[in-house]
Amino acid sequence: MTETTPPQITQKLQIQIWWFTALLIAINVGLFGWQILSGVNITDPSPMDAITWGADFTPLTFSGQPERLFSSMFFHFGLIHLMLNMWALYIFGSVAEPLFGRRYYIALYFLAGLMGSVLSSYLSIRDGYELLQHFDPKLLPHISAGASGAVMGLGSALTTVSLFPPLPQQRFWLDKKSLLLIMGINLAFGFTVSGINNAAHIGGMIMGALLAGSWYFSHKTENRVILQIIALVLASLLTLGFYVYCNELSTGLNSLWNEILRQNQLSF
């Protein structure tokens, strides 16, 4: 697709080409509805509710519950948080899914989300060592959740592809200026507005850019599928290796984690 012949906008409405994105949105909305019916506050969930529903809390995540790195991608802190993430997921996902191919898209989405969670945990662990030296409420581990790491990974992936000349078989024309502006605004908000887990955004963006670059250049070779599989395997190993490193790094904080859990009456 060339710059002078963008696709018809009606392509975006053909849900059969982005049904997994629609499924992700449905799962997130369905879980949110279930949480509300079970008594979770619709606008401001309590910290205990967030933890109960799988949010990422470093003292628990690195004390035997690593699944929180994944489950936290499906919990949102209120209706506005959910709506913003689901709108962004629709905008990016309905383009990224048919562009990258469903299997590659699914892997990219979850790897970006996991990398965002692990990077967020790494910064929390680093703050934990500073907390051992001197008490500062700002260094206490925060509860984090939401699909934004994975969604920002999709946005970063589309932005990365937009920087290169369109491939002959590329399905969508990507507006480089708009994508760069959107991603820049999101990063700026993350650095200036409190309560936004910018580490998760950055981690997701890094993974999204790496996998998008690999996808693009794989189309320049005859071994496209093999190179894409290699890229996904390497990305998975990178994420796993980073998690293992964080897990080892956190062992020196076991006493701190136990104290935080005791004070908050949490167990694992």
Side-chain angles (χ1 to χ4, degrees):
M1 189 66 65
T2 66
E3 189 169 352
T4 56
T5 58
Q8 295 296 316
I9 193 65
T10 53
Q11 281 187 290
K12 253 192 156 183
L13 302 178
Q14 297 172 357
I15 196 170
Q16 67 270 20
I17 67 173
W18 54 275
W19 65 261
F20 190 80
T21 299
L23 178 62
L24 284 173
I25 294 172
I27 291 173
N28 277 279
V29 172
L31 285 173
F32 185 79
W34 185 10
Q35 292 155 15
I36 301 309
L37 291 175
S38 69
V40 177
N41 190 295
I42 192 171
T43 58
D44 187 23
S46 69
M48 187 59 68
D49 282 335
I51 289 174
T52 299
W53 283 91
D56 182 17
F57 186 52
T58 305
L60 284 173
T61 302
F62 288 88
S63 297
Q65 298 183 15
E67 66 275 7
R68 290 182 177 275
L69 296 170
F70 178 83
S71 62
S72 61
M73 297 164 60
F74 294 93
F75 179 86
H76 289 85
F77 291 104
L79 183 60
I80 294 178
H81 187 208
L82 174 74
M83 291 176 63
L84 289 174
N85 274 346
M86 293 304 99
W87 174 247
L89 176 54
Y90 162 70
I91 294 297
F92 291 145
S94 60
V95 174
E97 185 173 345
L99 176 65
F100 294 114
R102 185 160 295 119
R103 293 178 182 177
Y104 199 86
Y105 166 81
I106 292 171
L108 189 155
Y109 179 86
F110 286 114
L111 284 170
L114 288 172
M115 180 56 78
S117 295
V118 177
L119 181 59
S120 176
S121 295
Y122 168 76
L123 296 182
S124 185
I125 291 168
R126 187 191 64 181
D127 288 344
Y129 279 100
E130 292 187 29
L131 190 61
L132 288 178
Q133 304 300 319
H134 64 280
F135 179 77
D136 184 346
K138 294 181 180 179
L139 298 176
L140 288 170
H142 299 287
I143 300 170
S144 60
S148 55
V151 172
M152 289 291 279
L154 297 180
S156 174
L158 293 175
T159 304
T160 299
V161 174
S162 75
L163 299 177
F164 300 109
L167 296 166
Q169 67 272 40
Q170 191 167 311
R171 188 163 192 169
F172 292 98
W173 169 72
L174 301 173
D175 189 334
K176 176 175 61 178
K177 292 181 180 179
S178 295
L179 285 166
L180 287 171
L181 180 62
I182 292 170
M183 300 306 290
I185 290 174
N186 275 280
L187 276 179
F189 267 104
F191 282 115
T192 58
V193 179
S194 61
I196 296 179
N197 188 352
N198 215 28
H201 291 182
I202 293 172
M205 289 174 65
I206 292 172
M207 180 59 73
L210 290 174
L211 287 176
S214 301
W215 174 87
Y216 181 88
F217 287 107
S218 73
H219 283 77
K220 300 288 187 178
T221 71
E222 296 180 355
N223 300 313
R224 175 176 56 86
V225 175
I226 294 175
L227 289 178
Q228 289 180 11
I229 291 174
I230 291 174
L232 293 175
V233 170
L234 291 177
S236 300
L237 291 175
L238 175 63
T239 305
L240 178 60
F242 192 19
Y243 164 75
V244 170
Y245 170 73
C246 289
N247 196 47
E248 291 294 324
L249 192 63
S250 71
T251 55
L253 297 172
N254 286 338
S255 59
L256 175 64
W257 297 157
N258 288 332
E259 179 61 21
I260 290 173
L261 295 175
R262 186 188 66 79
Q263 290 182 5
N264 288 276
Q265 298 182 340
L266 297 170
S267 59
F268 56 91

